[in-house]
Amino acid sequence: MTTGLQRPAGDPIVVDDPGRLTFRVDRRAYTDDDLAAQEMTRIFDRCWLYVGHESEVPGPGCYVARDVGGRPVVMARGSDGVIRVFANSCTHRGALICSQPAGQARSFRCPYHDWTFSNQGELVGVPIPDGYGPGFRKADFGLARHRSDSYRGFVFVTFDPQQPRTLTEYLAGATEYLDLIDDQSEAGMEVIRGAQLHGARANWKLMMENSVDIYHFRALHKRYVGYMESLGSVPPRRRGGFGRALGLGHAANELPPAAARPLAHWTPMFGAEFRPRIEATAARFAERFGAERAERITRTNRALLIFPNLMIIDAIAITIRKIDPAGAGRMAITSVALAPKDEDPDIRELRKSHYLTFLGPAGFATPDDIEIVESCQRGCLNRTVRYSDLSRGMNKEVPETTDELPAREFWRQWDRLMQGDGGRFEVPHRAAGTPAGIPAGTPGAEAR
């Protein structure tokens, strides 16, 4: 039996016992303020964190400002075309140099004392400069630049100057799924303008668990299941698909073709008028990638967890969901939709409609999910039951999507980092007897 981060009384937070097919998490991990503070320094100050998508800053001078890992940052494409991530903090007295969530500018001006910075981060203007001594140099006061990189258009930042992994190394097996997303358009993918910003009175890790939990779909989202059936579509089955551990806390669930996908999988809920174009798109993908990969790109539904706080749900539409802690009992959620740049306008409207209908903050699913994680948070405050159980599927060589493999992969990395161990990535072994239909190289078995 392996035990994880210790409570003050000496009891483990995570109990991972493969021999007994048991995986438990002490519920204080969701409610303890001291643990929440430790997460910021041991996880969010160390990992690669998602900032945004390159399409959000399409031209020189374009920028977005948002909080990442509890720090205000600006992602800007400079006049030289290079994307950089800066601290959203004036080097003079600390005020935000960018208060708008997005825009286009040649420079950023601090409203406090009019210090001005170029969109490449240099300090270019200081009022009454003779008030400083001869040793003052503007070159010493440029915006603090964070280490950033991108993979297939997804931009990440790390605040750890000693972070030993490149972004690609850190993403490990998650790169396969980012490839499947970006390959959905030869013209490239783009974030659809507009974001849904909301929160929940619950711990952020409960929403990470929920986002890769397919077990709850038919129980919690009965209204949406009925809605799909009323339109002639088939909701996800209770059984089928598989979960994958992708290393370093990343994980995915992959479901067989079932639900609607406006890219290239037509179902009656889209309307008969769209069927010829959607099927023509499917034929183009088969010609480009071959039948097997084309089906996986265009018809398979998947939920990708990138540790610690990014979810990409590629199903009814493509949703990028960033889940940020705001203390032990609160979280902030930012959701945007991703789509092919070359998508027909009416197909785009169809995609947006289905995105909002299911995954929007007022859709069929998201209010259910918010209510249930808040219910879990309240329930965890009763200390009589100490542990939550995430053992489902530990008895299987290849866990299904209704099992809890992705949540266990998340918690194992959480536990390693909270103990100070960065965790060495090894591709989990795919055991013999993997069901047909799982792509070659799929790591089905859990690392023991």
Side-chain angles (χ1 to χ4, degrees):
M1 179 173 71
T2 59
T3 60
L5 187 72
Q6 302 296 304
R7 291 173 52 185
D11 297 323
I13 294 292
V14 175
V15 178
D16 185 3
D17 190 347
R20 296 183 180 180
L21 302 178
T22 299
F23 194 101
R24 297 183 298 169
V25 176
D26 191 313
R27 292 179 176 181
R28 295 187 75 174
Y30 308 108
T31 62
D32 188 273
D33 290 328
D34 289 338
L35 281 176
Q38 289 180 47
E39 287 176 340
M40 299 310 297
T41 57
R42 299 187 185 186
I43 294 177
F44 287 90
D45 284 354
R46 295 185 59 193
C47 292
W48 282 95
L49 306 174
Y50 178 71
V51 182
H53 194 266
E54 290 179 356
S55 64
E56 296 181 89
V57 287
C62 292
Y63 67 86
V64 294
R66 53 189 49 140
D67 283 356
V68 175
R71 306 187 191 209
V73 303
V74 177
M75 180 174 74
R77 189 184 292 269
S79 296
D80 58 357
V82 176
I83 295 176
R84 302 173 178 85
V85 179
F86 300 110
N88 190 359
S89 177
C90 181
T91 48
H92 178 217
R93 299 277 285 279
L96 298 177
I97 53 93
C98 185
S99 58
Q100 298 300 314
Q104 189 169 14
R106 297 182 62 182
S107 61
F108 301 107
R109 183 187 67 83
C110 176
Y112 199 178
H113 299 95
D114 269 350
W115 280 35
T116 304
F117 304 85
S118 77
N119 57 26
Q120 296 175 210
E122 304 101 334
L123 178 61
V124 294
V126 176
I128 320 175
D130 59 3
Y132 295 96
F136 178 81
R137 299 190 316 150
K138 287 189 287 188
D140 296 334
F141 289 88
L143 294 176
R145 181 177 176 183
H146 300 301
R147 179 182 170 191
S148 63
D149 201 355
S150 65
Y151 183 85
R152 299 302 295 265
F154 295 88
V155 180
F156 292 77
V157 66
T158 180
F159 303 119
D160 181 5
Q162 305 302 318
Q163 169 57 248
R165 294 185 178 90
T166 66
L167 175 60
T168 302
E169 291 170 340
Y170 177 83
L171 291 172
T175 58
E176 175 187 348
Y177 285 85
L178 295 178
D179 291 341
L180 290 170
I181 292 168
D182 198 57
D183 281 345
Q184 293 180 29
S185 173
E186 289 185 276
M189 304 294 286
E190 65 180 1
V191 167
I192 298 174
R193 186 174 181 180
Q196 285 74 52
L197 310 174
H198 58 102
R201 294 183 294 271
N203 187 273
W204 67 282
K205 299 184 292 296
L206 287 169
M207 184 56 74
M208 296 304 295
E209 293 176 3
N210 171 273
S211 297
V212 287
D213 183 329
I214 310 300
Y215 189 36
H216 78 265
F217 186 88
R218 282 182 173 266
L220 187 62
H221 303 313
K222 289 183 176 71
R223 291 181 308 141
Y224 187 69
V225 170
Y227 170 70
M228 291 183 72
E229 291 174 340
S230 73
L231 295 176
S233 292
V234 180
R237 299 188 296 270
R238 285 192 181 273
R239 306 298 298 268
F242 54 90
R244 293 184 63 185
L246 304 175
L248 298 179
H250 317 314
N253 271 323
E254 193 159 336
L255 288 80
R261 286 182 61 83
L263 175 66
H265 182 194
W266 181 86
T267 71
M269 69 188 298
F270 289 150
E273 68 274 19
F274 289 103
R275 185 168 189 170
R277 276 187 290 164
I278 290 176
E279 292 182 345
T281 299
R284 289 198 302 272
F285 272 84
E287 181 179 356
R288 180 183 171 196
F289 292 103
E292 182 178 349
R293 181 166 176 80
E295 176 158 313
R296 193 164 176 230
I297 292 171
T298 63
R299 299 188 66 196
T300 302
N301 299 284
R302 49 196 155 255
L304 171 64
L305 185 160
I306 296 181
F307 188 90
N309 67 328
L310 176 64
M311 283 298 313
I312 303 179
I313 302 169
D314 186 7
I316 298 162
I318 305 174
T319 303
I320 302 174
R321 178 185 288 170
K322 186 167 75 76
I323 301 166
D324 293 300
R330 289 185 179 271
M331 72 181 89
I333 303 170
T334 304
S335 294
V336 297
L338 191 72
K341 288 181 180 178
D342 53 352
E343 194 165 51
D344 289 347
D346 49 354
I347 297 287
R348 172 66 61 89
E349 291 304 311
L350 181 67
R351 177 188 296 274
K352 289 162 61 175
S353 172
H354 283 273
Y355 163 70
L356 292 171
T357 297
F358 183 63
L359 291 164
F364 277 103
T366 300
D368 293 341
D369 292 330
I370 295 296
E371 183 176 6
I372 204 66
V373 297
E374 290 185 343
S375 174
C376 291
Q377 185 73 22
R378 292 194 298 273
C380 287
L381 291 172
N382 186 321
R383 305 276 175 84
T384 304
V385 180
R386 281 182 48 189
Y387 291 99
S388 289
D389 185 86
L390 291 98
S391 305
R392 184 176 173 85
M394 289 185 76
N395 61 323
K396 300 176 184 177
E397 291 290 343
V398 180
E400 298 179 58
T401 55
T402 51
D403 295 324
E404 293 163 334
L405 169 63
R408 290 192 292 274
E409 183 71 4
F410 170 89
W411 276 107
R412 285 172 178 139
Q413 182 67 357
W414 181 92
D415 196 41
R416 285 191 290 263
L417 290 177
M418 292 293 281
Q419 294 188 84
D421 173 13
R424 183 174 57 193
F425 171 57
E426 296 178 0
V427 177
H429 172 65
R430 181 161 76 103
T434 299
I438 297 182
T442 297
E446 294 182 63
R448 300 302 190 199

